[in-house]
Coordinates of all heavy atoms in Angstrom, one line a residue:
M57 N 112.0 -26.7 72.0 CA 111.3 -27.7 72.8 C 109.9 -27.9 72.1 O 109.3 -26.9 71.6 CB 111.0 -27.2 74.2 CG 110.6 -28.2 75.1 SD 110.5 -27.6 76.8 CE 109.1 -26.5 76.7
G58 N 109.5 -29.1 72.0 CA 108.2 -29.4 71.3 C 107.0 -29.3 72.2 O 107.1 -28.8 73.3
I59 N 105.9 -29.7 71.6 CA 104.6 -29.6 72.4 C 104.6 -30.5 73.6 O 105.2 -31.5 73.6 CB 103.5 -30.0 71.4 CG1 102.1 -29.7 72.1 CG2 103.6 -31.4 71.0 CD1 100.9 -29.9 71.1
D60 N 104.0 -30.0 74.7 CA 103.9 -30.8 75.9 C 102.8 -31.8 75.7 O 101.6 -31.5 75.4 CB 103.4 -29.8 77.0 CG 103.1 -30.6 78.3 OD1 103.3 -31.8 78.4 OD2 102.5 -29.9 79.2
P61 N 103.1 -33.1 75.7 CA 102.1 -34.1 75.4 C 101.0 -34.2 76.5 O 100.0 -34.8 76.3 CB 102.9 -35.4 75.4 CG 104.2 -35.1 76.2 CD 104.4 -33.7 75.9
N62 N 101.2 -33.5 77.6 CA 100.2 -33.5 78.7 C 99.5 -32.1 78.7 O 98.9 -31.8 79.8 CB 100.9 -33.8 80.0 CG 101.5 -35.2 80.1 OD1 100.9 -36.1 79.7 ND2 102.8 -35.3 80.5
Y63 N 99.6 -31.4 77.6 CA 99.0 -30.1 77.7 C 97.5 -30.1 78.0 O 96.9 -29.1 78.5 CB 99.2 -29.3 76.3 CG 98.3 -29.8 75.2 CD1 97.1 -29.2 74.9 CD2 98.7 -30.8 74.4 CE1 96.3 -29.7 73.9 CE2 98.0 -31.3 73.3 CZ 96.7 -30.7 73.1 OH 95.9 -31.1 72.0
R64 N 96.8 -31.2 77.6 CA 95.3 -31.3 77.9 C 95.0 -31.2 79.4 O 93.9 -30.8 79.8 CB 94.8 -32.5 77.3 CG 94.9 -32.6 75.7 CD 94.7 -34.0 75.2 NE 95.0 -34.1 73.8 CZ 96.2 -34.4 73.3 NH1 97.2 -34.5 74.1 NH2 96.4 -34.5 72.0
Q65 N 96.0 -31.7 80.2 CA 95.8 -31.6 81.6 C 96.5 -30.4 82.2 O 96.0 -29.8 83.2 CB 96.4 -32.8 82.3 CG 95.6 -34.1 82.1 CD 95.9 -34.8 80.8 OE1 97.0 -34.8 80.3 NE2 94.8 -35.2 80.1
N66 N 97.6 -30.0 81.6 CA 98.5 -28.9 82.2 C 98.0 -27.5 81.9 O 98.5 -26.6 82.5 CB 99.9 -29.1 81.7 CG 100.5 -30.4 82.3 OD1 100.0 -31.0 83.3 ND2 101.6 -30.8 81.7
R67 N 97.2 -27.4 80.8 CA 96.9 -26.0 80.4 C 95.3 -25.8 80.5 O 94.6 -26.8 80.5 CB 97.3 -25.8 79.0 CG 98.8 -25.7 78.8 CD 99.1 -25.4 77.4 NE 100.5 -25.3 77.1 CZ 101.0 -24.3 76.3 NH1 100.2 -23.5 75.6 NH2 102.3 -24.3 76.1
Q68 N 95.0 -24.6 80.5 CA 93.5 -24.2 80.6 C 93.0 -23.9 79.2 O 93.7 -23.3 78.4 CB 93.3 -23.0 81.5 CG 93.6 -23.4 83.0 CD 93.0 -22.3 83.9 OE1 92.9 -21.1 83.5 NE2 92.7 -22.6 85.1
V69 N 91.7 -24.3 79.0 CA 91.1 -23.9 77.8 C 90.7 -22.4 77.9 O 90.0 -22.0 78.8 CB 89.8 -24.8 77.5 CG1 89.0 -24.3 76.3 CG2 90.2 -26.2 77.4
V70 N 91.1 -21.6 76.9 CA 90.9 -20.2 77.0 C 90.0 -19.7 75.9 O 89.6 -18.5 75.8 CB 92.2 -19.4 77.0 CG1 93.0 -19.7 78.2 CG2 93.0 -19.7 75.7
G71 N 89.6 -20.6 74.9 CA 88.8 -20.2 73.9 C 88.5 -21.3 72.9 O 88.9 -22.4 73.1
E72 N 87.9 -20.9 71.8 CA 87.6 -21.8 70.7 C 87.9 -21.2 69.3 O 87.8 -20.0 69.2 CB 86.1 -22.3 70.7 CG 85.8 -23.4 71.7 CD 84.6 -24.2 71.3 OE1 84.0 -23.9 70.2 OE2 84.2 -25.1 72.1
H73 N 88.2 -22.0 68.4 CA 88.5 -21.5 67.0 C 88.1 -22.6 66.0 O 88.6 -23.7 66.1 CB 90.0 -21.2 66.9 CG 90.4 -20.8 65.6 ND1 91.4 -21.5 64.8 CD2 90.0 -19.7 64.8 CE1 91.5 -20.9 63.6 NE2 90.8 -19.8 63.6
E74 N 87.2 -22.3 65.1 CA 86.8 -23.2 64.1 C 86.3 -24.5 64.7 O 86.6 -25.6 64.1 CB 88.0 -23.5 63.1 CG 88.5 -22.2 62.4 CD 87.8 -22.0 61.1 OE1 87.0 -22.8 60.6 OE2 88.1 -20.9 60.5
G75 N 85.7 -24.5 65.8 CA 85.2 -25.7 66.5 C 86.1 -26.5 67.3 O 85.7 -27.5 67.9
H76 N 87.4 -26.1 67.4 CA 88.3 -26.8 68.3 C 88.7 -25.8 69.4 O 88.6 -24.6 69.3 CB 89.5 -27.3 67.6 CG 90.3 -26.3 66.8 ND1 90.2 -26.1 65.5 CD2 91.2 -25.4 67.3 CE1 91.1 -25.1 65.1 NE2 91.6 -24.7 66.2
K77 N 89.2 -26.4 70.5 CA 89.6 -25.7 71.7 C 91.0 -25.0 71.5 O 91.8 -25.5 70.8 CB 89.6 -26.6 72.9 CG 88.2 -27.0 73.3 CD 88.3 -28.0 74.5 CE 86.8 -28.4 74.9 NZ 86.8 -29.5 75.8
I78 N 91.2 -23.9 72.3 CA 92.5 -23.3 72.4 C 92.9 -23.4 73.8 O 92.2 -23.0 74.7 CB 92.4 -21.8 71.9 CG1 91.9 -21.6 70.5 CG2 93.8 -21.1 72.1 CD1 91.6 -20.2 70.1
Y79 N 94.1 -23.9 74.0 CA 94.7 -24.0 75.3 C 95.7 -22.9 75.5 O 96.6 -22.8 74.7 CB 95.4 -25.4 75.5 CG 94.4 -26.6 75.4 CD1 93.9 -27.0 74.2 CD2 94.0 -27.2 76.6 CE1 93.0 -28.1 74.1 CE2 93.1 -28.3 76.5 CZ 92.6 -28.7 75.3 OH 91.7 -29.8 75.2
G80 N 95.5 -22.1 76.6 CA 96.4 -21.0 76.8 C 97.7 -21.4 77.5 O 98.0 -22.6 77.6
P81 N 98.5 -20.4 77.8 CA 98.2 -18.9 77.7 C 98.2 -18.4 76.3 O 98.9 -18.9 75.5 CB 99.3 -18.3 78.6 CG 100.4 -19.2 78.5 CD 99.9 -20.6 78.4
V82 N 97.4 -17.3 76.1 CA 97.4 -16.6 74.8 C 97.6 -15.2 75.1 O 97.0 -14.6 76.0 CB 96.1 -16.9 74.1 CG1 96.0 -15.9 72.9 CG2 95.9 -18.3 73.6
D83 N 98.5 -14.6 74.3 CA 98.8 -13.1 74.3 C 99.1 -12.7 72.9 O 100.3 -12.6 72.5 CB 99.9 -12.8 75.3 CG 100.2 -11.3 75.4 OD1 99.3 -10.5 75.0 OD2 101.2 -10.9 76.0
E84 N 98.1 -12.5 72.1 CA 98.3 -12.3 70.7 C 99.0 -11.0 70.4 O 98.7 -10.0 71.2 CB 96.9 -12.3 70.0 CG 96.2 -13.6 70.0 CD 94.8 -13.6 69.3 OE1 94.4 -12.5 68.9 OE2 94.2 -14.6 69.3
P85 N 99.8 -10.9 69.4 CA 100.1 -12.0 68.5 C 101.3 -12.8 68.9 O 101.7 -13.7 68.2 CB 100.4 -11.2 67.2 CG 101.1 -9.9 67.7 CD 100.4 -9.6 69.0
K86 N 101.9 -12.5 70.0 CA 103.2 -13.1 70.4 C 103.0 -14.5 70.9 O 103.9 -15.4 70.6 CB 103.9 -12.3 71.4 CG 104.5 -10.9 70.9 CD 105.3 -10.2 71.9 CE 105.9 -9.0 71.4 NZ 106.5 -8.2 72.4
V87 N 102.0 -14.7 71.7 CA 101.8 -16.1 72.3 C 100.4 -16.6 71.8 O 99.4 -15.9 72.1 CB 101.9 -16.0 73.8 CG1 101.7 -17.3 74.4 CG2 103.2 -15.4 74.2
L88 N 100.4 -17.7 71.2 CA 99.1 -18.2 70.6 C 98.5 -19.4 71.2 O 97.4 -19.8 70.8 CB 99.3 -18.4 69.1 CG 99.8 -17.1 68.3 CD1 100.1 -17.4 66.9 CD2 98.7 -16.0 68.4
G89 N 99.3 -20.1 72.0 CA 98.7 -21.3 72.7 C 98.7 -22.5 71.8 O 99.3 -22.6 70.7
I90 N 97.9 -23.5 72.2 CA 97.8 -24.8 71.5 C 96.4 -24.9 70.9 O 95.4 -24.8 71.7 CB 98.2 -26.0 72.4 CG1 99.6 -25.9 72.8 CG2 97.9 -27.3 71.7 CD1 100.0 -27.0 73.8
H91 N 96.3 -25.2 69.7 CA 95.0 -25.4 69.0 C 94.7 -26.9 68.9 O 95.5 -27.7 68.4 CB 94.9 -24.8 67.6 CG 94.7 -23.3 67.7 ND1 93.8 -22.7 66.9 CD2 95.3 -22.3 68.4 CE1 93.8 -21.4 67.2 NE2 94.7 -21.1 68.0
G92 N 93.5 -27.3 69.3 CA 93.0 -28.7 69.1 C 93.2 -29.6 70.3 O 94.0 -29.3 71.2
T93 N 92.3 -30.6 70.4 CA 92.4 -31.6 71.5 C 92.7 -33.0 71.0 O 93.6 -33.7 71.5 CB 91.0 -31.6 72.2 OG1 90.7 -30.3 72.6 CG2 91.0 -32.6 73.3
I94 N 92.0 -33.4 69.9 CA 92.4 -34.7 69.3 C 93.7 -34.6 68.6 O 94.6 -35.4 68.7 CB 91.3 -35.2 68.3 CG1 89.9 -35.3 69.0 CG2 91.6 -36.5 67.6 CD1 88.7 -35.4 68.1
V95 N 93.8 -33.5 67.8 CA 95.1 -33.2 67.1 C 95.5 -31.8 67.6 O 94.9 -30.8 67.3 CB 94.9 -33.1 65.6 CG1 96.2 -32.8 64.9 CG2 94.4 -34.5 65.1
G96 N 96.5 -31.8 68.5 CA 97.0 -30.5 69.1 C 98.2 -30.0 68.3 O 99.1 -30.7 68.1
V97 N 98.1 -28.7 68.0 CA 99.3 -28.0 67.3 C 99.7 -26.9 68.2 O 98.9 -26.0 68.5 CB 98.9 -27.5 65.9 CG1 100.1 -26.8 65.3 CG2 98.5 -28.6 65.0
D98 N 100.9 -26.9 68.7 CA 101.4 -25.8 69.5 C 101.8 -24.7 68.6 O 102.8 -24.7 67.9 CB 102.6 -26.3 70.4 CG 103.0 -25.2 71.4 OD1 102.8 -24.0 71.2 OD2 103.4 -25.7 72.5
F99 N 101.0 -23.6 68.5 CA 101.2 -22.5 67.6 C 102.5 -21.7 68.0 O 103.0 -21.0 67.2 CB 100.0 -21.6 67.6 CG 98.9 -22.0 66.7 CD1 98.9 -23.3 66.2 CD2 97.9 -21.1 66.3 CE1 97.8 -23.7 65.3 CE2 96.9 -21.5 65.4 CZ 96.9 -22.8 64.9
D100 N 103.0 -21.9 69.2 CA 104.2 -21.2 69.7 C 105.4 -22.0 69.4 O 106.5 -21.6 69.6 CB 104.1 -20.9 71.2 CG 102.9 -20.0 71.5 OD1 102.8 -18.9 70.8 OD2 102.1 -20.4 72.3
V101 N 105.2 -23.2 68.8 CA 106.3 -24.0 68.3 C 106.3 -24.1 66.8 O 107.4 -24.2 66.2 CB 106.2 -25.5 68.9 CG1 107.3 -26.4 68.4 CG2 106.3 -25.4 70.5
C102 N 105.2 -24.1 66.2 CA 105.0 -24.3 64.7 C 105.8 -23.2 64.0 O 105.6 -22.0 64.2 CB 103.5 -24.2 64.4 SG 103.1 -24.2 62.6
I103 N 106.6 -23.7 63.0 CA 107.4 -22.8 62.2 C 106.9 -22.6 60.8 O 107.5 -22.1 59.9 CB 108.9 -23.2 62.1 CG1 109.0 -24.6 61.6 CG2 109.5 -23.1 63.5 CD1 110.4 -25.1 61.3
A104 N 105.6 -23.2 60.5 CA 105.0 -23.1 59.2 C 105.8 -23.9 58.2 O 105.9 -23.5 57.0 CB 104.8 -21.7 58.8
D105 N 106.3 -25.0 58.6 CA 107.0 -25.9 57.7 C 106.1 -26.5 56.6 O 106.4 -26.6 55.5 CB 107.7 -27.0 58.5 CG 108.3 -28.1 57.6 OD1 109.4 -27.8 57.1 OD2 107.7 -29.1 57.4
G106 N 104.9 -26.9 57.1 CA 103.9 -27.4 56.1 C 103.9 -28.9 55.8 O 103.0 -29.4 55.1
S107 N 104.9 -29.6 56.4 CA 105.0 -31.0 56.2 C 103.7 -31.8 56.6 O 103.2 -32.7 56.0 CB 106.1 -31.6 56.9 OG 107.3 -31.1 56.4
C108 N 103.1 -31.3 57.7 CA 101.9 -32.0 58.2 C 100.7 -31.8 57.2 O 100.0 -32.8 57.0 CB 101.5 -31.5 59.6 SG 101.2 -29.7 59.6
I109 N 100.6 -30.7 56.6 CA 99.5 -30.4 55.7 C 99.7 -31.4 54.5 O 98.7 -31.9 54.0 CB 99.5 -28.9 55.3 CG1 99.2 -28.1 56.5 CG2 98.6 -28.7 54.1 CD1 99.1 -26.6 56.2
T110 N 100.9 -31.5 54.0 CA 101.1 -32.4 52.9 C 100.9 -33.9 53.3 O 100.4 -34.7 52.5 CB 102.6 -32.2 52.4 OG1 102.8 -30.9 52.1 CG2 102.9 -33.1 51.2
A111 N 101.4 -34.3 54.5 CA 101.4 -35.7 54.9 C 100.0 -36.2 55.3 O 99.7 -37.4 55.1 CB 102.3 -35.8 56.1
C112 N 99.1 -35.3 55.8 CA 97.8 -35.8 56.3 C 96.9 -36.3 55.2 O 96.6 -35.6 54.3 CB 97.1 -34.7 57.1 SG 95.6 -35.3 57.8
P113 N 96.5 -37.6 55.3 CA 95.7 -38.2 54.2 C 94.2 -37.8 54.3 O 93.5 -38.1 53.3 CB 95.8 -39.7 54.5 CG 96.0 -39.8 56.0 CD 96.9 -38.6 56.4
V114 N 93.8 -37.1 55.3 CA 92.4 -36.8 55.4 C 92.2 -35.2 55.7 O 91.1 -34.8 56.1 CB 91.7 -37.6 56.6 CG1 91.6 -39.0 56.2 CG2 92.5 -37.4 57.9
N115 N 93.2 -34.5 55.3 CA 93.1 -33.0 55.3 C 92.6 -32.4 56.7 O 91.6 -31.7 56.7 CB 92.1 -32.5 54.2 CG 92.7 -32.9 52.9 OD1 93.9 -32.7 52.6 ND2 91.8 -33.4 52.0
V116 N 93.3 -32.8 57.7 CA 93.0 -32.3 59.0 C 93.4 -30.8 59.2 O 92.8 -30.0 59.9 CB 93.6 -33.1 60.1 CG1 93.7 -32.4 61.5 CG2 92.8 -34.4 60.3
F117 N 94.5 -30.4 58.5 CA 95.1 -29.1 58.6 C 94.8 -28.2 57.5 O 94.6 -28.6 56.3 CB 96.6 -29.2 58.7 CG 97.1 -30.2 59.8 CD1 97.4 -31.5 59.4 CD2 97.2 -29.8 61.1 CE1 97.8 -32.4 60.4 CE2 97.6 -30.8 62.1 CZ 98.0 -32.0 61.7
R118 N 94.7 -26.9 57.8 CA 94.8 -25.8 56.8 C 95.6 -24.6 57.4 O 95.6 -24.5 58.6 CB 93.5 -25.5 56.2 CG 92.6 -24.7 57.2 CD 91.3 -24.4 56.5 NE 90.3 -23.8 57.4 CZ 89.0 -23.9 57.3 NH1 88.5 -24.5 56.2 NH2 88.2 -23.4 58.2
W119 N 96.1 -23.8 56.5 CA 96.8 -22.7 57.0 C 95.9 -21.6 57.6 O 94.8 -21.4 57.2 CB 97.6 -22.0 55.8 CG 98.7 -22.7 55.3 CD1 98.9 -23.2 54.0 CD2 99.9 -23.1 56.0 NE1 100.1 -23.8 53.9 CE2 100.7 -23.8 55.1 CE3 100.3 -23.0 57.3 CZ2 102.0 -24.3 55.4 CZ3 101.6 -23.5 57.6 CH2 102.4 -24.2 56.7
F120 N 96.5 -21.1 58.7 CA 95.8 -20.0 59.4 C 96.8 -18.9 59.6 O 97.9 -19.1 60.1 CB 95.3 -20.5 60.8 CG 94.7 -19.4 61.7 CD1 93.6 -18.6 61.2 CD2 95.2 -19.2 62.9 CE1 93.1 -17.6 62.1 CE2 94.7 -18.2 63.8 CZ 93.6 -17.4 63.3
D121 N 96.5 -17.7 59.1 CA 97.4 -16.6 59.1 C 97.6 -16.0 60.5 O 96.5 -15.8 61.2 CB 97.0 -15.5 58.2 CG 97.2 -15.8 56.7 OD1 98.1 -16.6 56.4 OD2 96.4 -15.3 55.9
T122 N 98.8 -15.8 61.0 CA 99.1 -15.3 62.3 C 100.1 -14.1 62.2 O 101.2 -14.2 62.7 CB 99.6 -16.4 63.2 OG1 100.8 -17.0 62.7 CG2 98.6 -17.5 63.5
P123 N 99.7 -13.0 61.6 CA 100.6 -11.9 61.4 C 101.1 -11.4 62.7 O 100.4 -11.3 63.7 CB 99.8 -10.9 60.6 CG 98.4 -11.3 60.9 CD 98.4 -12.7 61.0
G124 N 102.4 -11.1 62.7 CA 103.0 -10.6 63.9 C 103.6 -11.6 64.9 O 104.2 -11.2 65.9
N125 N 103.3 -12.9 64.6 CA 103.9 -13.9 65.5 C 105.4 -14.0 65.3 O 105.8 -14.2 64.1 CB 103.2 -15.2 65.3 CG 103.7 -16.3 66.3 OD1 104.4 -17.2 65.9 ND2 103.3 -16.2 67.5
P126 N 106.2 -14.0 66.3 CA 107.6 -14.1 66.1 C 108.2 -15.4 65.6 O 109.3 -15.4 65.0 CB 108.2 -13.8 67.5 CG 107.1 -14.1 68.5 CD 105.8 -13.8 67.7
V127 N 107.4 -16.5 65.7 CA 107.9 -17.8 65.3 C 107.6 -18.0 63.8 O 108.5 -18.4 63.0 CB 107.3 -18.9 66.1 CG1 107.9 -20.3 65.7 CG2 107.7 -18.7 67.6
S128 N 106.4 -17.7 63.4 CA 106.0 -17.8 62.0 C 104.6 -17.1 61.8 O 103.8 -17.1 62.7 CB 105.9 -19.2 61.5 OG 104.9 -20.0 62.3
E129 N 104.4 -16.6 60.6 CA 103.2 -15.8 60.4 C 102.1 -16.5 59.8 O 101.1 -16.0 59.3 CB 103.6 -14.5 59.5 CG 104.6 -13.6 60.3 CD 104.5 -12.2 59.9 OE1 104.3 -11.9 58.7 OE2 104.6 -11.3 60.8
K130 N 102.2 -17.9 59.8 CA 101.0 -18.7 59.5 C 101.2 -20.0 60.3 O 102.4 -20.4 60.6 CB 100.8 -19.0 58.0 CG 101.9 -19.6 57.3 CD 101.6 -19.8 55.8 CE 102.8 -20.5 55.1 NZ 102.5 -20.8 53.7
K131 N 100.1 -20.7 60.6 CA 100.2 -21.9 61.4 C 99.3 -23.0 60.7 O 98.3 -22.7 60.1 CB 99.7 -21.7 62.8 CG 100.3 -20.5 63.5 CD 101.8 -20.8 63.8 CE 102.4 -19.6 64.5 NZ 103.8 -19.8 64.8
A132 N 99.7 -24.3 61.0 CA 98.9 -25.4 60.5 C 97.8 -25.6 61.5 O 98.0 -26.2 62.6 CB 99.8 -26.7 60.4
D133 N 96.6 -25.2 61.1 CA 95.4 -25.2 62.1 C 94.7 -26.5 61.9 O 94.2 -26.9 60.8 CB 94.5 -24.0 61.7 CG 93.5 -23.8 62.8 OD1 93.7 -24.1 63.9 OD2 92.4 -23.3 62.4
P134 N 94.5 -27.3 63.0 CA 93.8 -28.6 62.9 C 92.3 -28.4 62.9 O 91.5 -28.9 63.7 CB 94.2 -29.3 64.2 CG 94.4 -28.2 65.2 CD 95.0 -27.0 64.4
F135 N 91.8 -27.6 61.9 CA 90.4 -27.2 61.8 C 89.5 -28.4 61.6 O 88.3 -28.4 62.0 CB 90.2 -26.3 60.6 CG 90.1 -26.9 59.3 CD1 88.8 -27.1 58.7 CD2 91.2 -27.5 58.7 CE1 88.7 -27.7 57.4 CE2 91.1 -28.1 57.5 CZ 89.9 -28.2 56.8
N136 N 90.0 -29.6 61.1 CA 89.2 -30.7 60.8 C 89.7 -31.9 61.7 O 89.8 -33.1 61.2 CB 89.4 -31.0 59.3 CG 88.4 -32.0 58.8 OD1 87.3 -32.2 59.4 ND2 88.7 -32.7 57.7
E137 N 90.0 -31.7 62.9 CA 90.6 -32.7 63.8 C 89.7 -33.9 64.0 O 90.2 -35.0 64.2 CB 91.0 -32.2 65.2 CG 89.8 -31.7 66.0 CD 90.3 -31.4 67.5 OE1 91.4 -31.4 67.8 OE2 89.4 -31.0 68.3
Q138 N 88.4 -33.7 63.8 CA 87.4 -34.9 64.0 C 87.7 -35.9 62.9 O 87.3 -37.1 63.1 CB 86.0 -34.4 63.9 CG 85.6 -33.3 64.9 CD 85.4 -33.9 66.3 OE1 85.3 -35.1 66.5 NE2 85.4 -33.1 67.3
A139 N 88.3 -35.6 61.8 CA 88.5 -36.5 60.7 C 89.8 -37.4 60.9 O 90.0 -38.3 60.1 CB 88.6 -35.8 59.4
C140 N 90.5 -37.1 61.9 CA 91.8 -37.8 62.1 C 91.7 -39.3 62.2 O 90.8 -39.8 62.9 CB 92.5 -37.3 63.4 SG 94.1 -38.0 63.8
I141 N 92.5 -40.1 61.5 CA 92.5 -41.5 61.6 C 93.7 -42.1 62.3 O 94.0 -43.3 62.3 CB 92.5 -42.1 60.1 CG1 93.6 -41.6 59.3 CG2 91.1 -41.8 59.5 CD1 93.8 -42.3 57.9
F142 N 94.5 -41.2 63.0 CA 95.5 -41.6 63.9 C 96.7 -42.3 63.2 O 97.3 -43.3 63.8 CB 95.0 -42.3 65.1 CG 93.8 -41.7 65.7 CD1 92.5 -42.2 65.5 CD2 93.9 -40.4 66.3 CE1 91.4 -41.5 66.0 CE2 92.8 -39.7 66.8 CZ 91.5 -40.3 66.7
C143 N 97.0 -41.9 62.0 CA 98.1 -42.5 61.3 C 99.5 -42.0 61.8 O 100.5 -42.6 61.6 CB 98.0 -42.3 59.8 SG 98.4 -40.5 59.3
M144 N 99.5 -40.9 62.5 CA 100.7 -40.3 63.1 C 101.7 -39.7 62.1 O 102.8 -39.4 62.4 CB 101.4 -41.3 64.0 CG 100.5 -41.7 65.2 SD 100.0 -40.3 66.2 CE 98.7 -41.1 67.2
A145 N 101.3 -39.6 60.8 CA 102.2 -39.1 59.8 C 102.6 -37.6 60.2 O 103.8 -37.3 60.1 CB 101.5 -39.1 58.4
C146 N 101.7 -36.8 60.6 CA 102.0 -35.4 61.0 C 103.0 -35.4 62.1 O 103.9 -34.6 62.0 CB 100.7 -34.7 61.3 SG 99.8 -35.4 62.7
V147 N 102.8 -36.2 63.1 CA 103.7 -36.2 64.3 C 105.1 -36.6 63.8 O 106.1 -36.0 64.2 CB 103.2 -37.2 65.3 CG1 104.2 -37.4 66.4 CG2 101.8 -36.8 65.9
N148 N 105.2 -37.5 62.9 CA 106.5 -38.0 62.4 C 107.2 -37.1 61.5 O 108.4 -37.1 61.5 CB 106.3 -39.4 61.8 CG 105.9 -40.5 62.8 OD1 106.3 -40.4 63.9 ND2 105.1 -41.4 62.3
V149 N 106.5 -36.3 60.8 CA 107.2 -35.4 59.8 C 107.5 -34.0 60.4 O 108.3 -33.3 59.8 CB 106.4 -35.2 58.5 CG1 106.3 -36.5 57.8 CG2 105.0 -34.6 58.7
C150 N 106.8 -33.6 61.4 CA 107.0 -32.2 61.9 C 108.4 -32.1 62.4 O 108.9 -32.8 63.3 CB 106.0 -31.9 63.1 SG 106.2 -30.2 63.7
P151 N 109.2 -31.1 61.9 CA 110.6 -30.9 62.2 C 110.8 -30.3 63.6 O 111.9 -30.4 64.1 CB 111.1 -30.0 61.1 CG 109.9 -29.2 60.7 CD 108.8 -30.1 60.8
V152 N 109.8 -29.8 64.2 CA 109.9 -29.1 65.5 C 109.0 -29.8 66.6 O 108.9 -29.2 67.7 CB 109.7 -27.6 65.4 CG1 110.8 -26.9 64.6 CG2 108.3 -27.3 64.8
A153 N 108.4 -30.9 66.2 CA 107.6 -31.6 67.2 C 106.5 -30.8 67.8 O 106.3 -30.7 69.0 CB 108.5 -32.3 68.3
A154 N 105.8 -30.0 66.9 CA 104.7 -29.1 67.4 C 103.4 -29.8 67.6 O 102.5 -29.2 68.0 CB 104.6 -28.0 66.4
I155 N 103.3 -31.1 67.2 CA 102.0 -31.8 67.1 C 101.9 -32.9 68.1 O 102.8 -33.8 68.1 CB 101.7 -32.3 65.7 CG1 101.9 -31.1 64.7 CG2 100.3 -32.9 65.6 CD1 101.8 -31.6 63.2
D156 N 100.8 -33.0 68.8 CA 100.5 -34.2 69.6 C 99.1 -34.7 69.2 O 98.2 -33.9 69.2 CB 100.5 -33.9 71.1 CG 100.4 -35.1 71.9 OD1 101.4 -35.9 72.0 OD2 99.3 -35.4 72.5
V157 N 99.0 -36.0 68.9 CA 97.7 -36.6 68.5 C 97.3 -37.6 69.6 O 98.1 -38.5 70.0 CB 97.9 -37.3 67.2 CG1 96.6 -38.1 66.8 CG2 98.2 -36.3 66.1
K158 N 96.0 -37.5 70.0 CA 95.5 -38.4 71.0 C 94.1 -38.8 70.7 O 93.2 -37.9 70.7 CB 95.6 -37.8 72.4 CG 95.4 -38.7 73.5 CD 95.6 -38.1 74.9 CE 95.4 -39.1 76.0 NZ 95.3 -38.4 77.3
P159 N 93.8 -40.0 70.5 CA 92.4 -40.4 70.2 C 91.5 -40.0 71.4 O 91.9 -40.1 72.5 CB 92.4 -41.9 70.1 CG 93.9 -42.2 69.7 CD 94.7 -41.2 70.4
P160 N 90.2 -39.6 71.1 CA 89.3 -39.1 72.2 C 88.9 -40.3 73.0 O 89.0 -41.4 72.7 CB 88.2 -38.5 71.4 CG 88.2 -39.1 70.1 CD 89.6 -39.5 69.8
Ligands
LIG234 S1 97.6 -38.5 62.7 FE1 97.4 -38.8 60.5 S2 95.2 -38.4 60.1 FE2 95.6 -37.5 62.1 S3 96.1 -35.4 61.7 FE3 98.0 -36.5 61.7 S4 98.4 -37.0 59.6 FE4 96.2 -36.4 59.7

């Protein structure tokens, strides 16, 4: 199952990382929540495919190591979500639908 497109309403903000919000629940390292608000990546869905990192024309993503996570031990972190130009390339290439993009 992919990211919940309504996670911004359905989940609670439980922290911050690199200037973006983290939506819970979080129970590290097994459950990591969703990172980002403009560009949301569900870390519990992300399999570290990396297509989004390659596809993004403005370098919104970079790898973030998540050792011990059962799905993948690194995640595409939307550390630069403010730079998003809403081309939707990342959403279209993600093989597991882990990304939801919504203009602020
Ligand atoms: S929508 Fe486009 S610009 Fe925004 S994060 Fe995805 S690939 Fe990058």
